[in-house]
Amino acid sequence: MTEKTLNIIILGPPGAGKGTQANLLEEKFDLEHIEPGDMLRELVERGDEIGIKVNRIMQEGKLVPTDLIMTMLRLRIQSLDEDTGTVFDGSPRRLVEAKALEKMLKGLGRNISHVFFLKVSKEEVIKRLAKRITCKKCDHSFIIGVDVKAGDKVCPLCGGKLFQRKDDTPEGIEKRWQTFLSETQPVVDYFFEKEMLIEINGEQPIKMVNQDILKKIYSARPSASHLLR
């Protein structure tokens, strides 16, 4: 593990573009993109007792127990080369998880290098998620009118069936927003109080959001400019 290894956390409400920005950073710096949501969906697909329990929790718009999340994350990180950086998308989602992640990373010889908060209003969240559909086969999400046309039923990537998740319906969006306020906002406040939080205007075009993030990485880590190719 080197001092210059990037270990980035991206926070934000549902629909803020965390996954999109994590993908861009993953490609830019050859980072390991860690998205607990994808890992949990893999559990659901197994269809065993744990998968059924996780599916019920997720369908209700609630958060999965911290112990399960931490176990998955630890195993994933321990499998990485020590000089491979990480970008966390969708985690930590609550204060106890944030503290557990900090402790776990430190125990593995890693430190959080950046915490970005993509600030997006509730109105924008509703607008974005109402237009989001997902492929049942490859689990890739698309925005109607941007990535696919209204009425499209087939995934342009793998040919799977496109559908709207229950948590992207008006009722689901409201539950997720309230969960963000009650569970994840304290995480944002926690990193703000530690002077680690970097706020980014998430309502800008994707490219501009990414540029703002890269500027902060450059300015915060000038000695690591060789990583910012």
Side-chain angles (χ1 to χ4, degrees):
M1 183 66 54
T2 70
E3 234 177 69
K4 299 172 183 177
T5 300
L6 296 171
N7 292 290
I8 300 169
I9 291 174
I10 302 181
L11 301 173
K18 300 183 294 294
T20 297
Q21 294 304 320
N23 285 334
L24 292 172
L25 293 175
E26 174 189 20
E27 182 178 351
K28 179 74 173 178
F29 305 126
D30 195 24
L31 304 176
E32 181 76 4
H33 182 178
I34 299 178
E35 211 284 286
D38 286 344
M39 298 166 72
L40 290 171
R41 281 187 280 275
E42 289 176 5
L43 282 179
V44 171
E45 289 176 4
R46 281 170 26 184
D48 56 16
E49 185 177 347
I50 295 177
I52 292 172
K53 180 179 179 181
V54 168
N55 184 53
R56 184 170 59 250
I57 293 171
M58 293 174 68
Q59 291 297 327
E60 292 174 353
K62 298 178 181 178
L63 298 179
V64 175
T66 299
D67 289 347
L68 177 57
I69 297 292
M70 287 299 109
T71 297
M72 292 193 308
L73 295 182
R74 176 180 289 277
L75 291 173
R76 180 75 167 272
I77 295 170
Q78 286 179 325
S79 71
L80 302 177
D81 180 86
E82 64 176 12
D83 291 327
T84 298
T86 59
V87 55
F88 291 87
D89 159 23
S91 179
R93 291 192 177 185
R94 52 195 142 192
L95 188 54
V96 64
E97 194 177 305
K99 293 180 178 180
L101 180 60
E102 273 190 303
K103 183 178 180 180
M104 181 186 70
L105 289 175
K106 187 174 182 180
L108 295 174
R110 293 173 179 265
N111 291 307
I112 297 171
S113 59
H114 304 81
V115 180
F116 292 104
F117 173 55
L118 306 185
K119 188 175 182 179
V120 178
S121 68
K122 182 179 180 180
E123 292 71 23
E124 182 67 16
V125 165
I126 294 172
K127 178 178 165 184
R128 291 183 182 185
L129 294 184
K131 295 181 179 179
R132 188 166 75 175
I133 54 177
T134 304
C135 175
K136 283 190 175 181
K137 186 176 180 180
C138 69
D139 202 44
H140 192 89
S141 294
F142 304 92
I143 303 299
I144 298 173
V146 177
D147 306 308
V148 295
K149 296 178 181 179
D152 282 357
K153 303 294 184 182
V154 179
C155 173
L157 297 180
C158 73
K161 184 179 179 181
L162 296 176
F163 75 109
Q164 185 180 51
R165 286 181 177 155
K166 289 184 179 180
D167 56 4
D168 284 341
T169 61
E171 297 79 10
I173 293 171
E174 180 62 30
K175 284 183 179 179
R176 293 170 69 192
W177 179 261
Q178 293 304 322
T179 297
F180 167 74
L181 292 181
S182 63
E183 299 283 357
T184 308
Q185 185 61 50
V187 177
V188 176
D189 297 339
Y190 173 71
F191 284 115
F192 175 79
E193 291 170 3
K194 296 191 71 172
E195 299 185 348
M196 295 175 67
L197 194 74
I198 303 171
E199 186 175 297
I200 301 291
N201 177 5
E203 297 191 10
Q204 304 176 93
I206 292 172
K207 186 175 181 180
M208 293 182 66
V209 173
N210 184 246
Q211 288 176 344
D212 283 353
I213 289 174
L214 292 179
K215 286 177 184 177
K216 293 297 183 179
I217 293 177
Y218 272 111
S219 64
R221 298 173 67 84
S223 63
S225 58
H226 69 286
L227 292 173
L228 313 179
R229 57 185 184 281

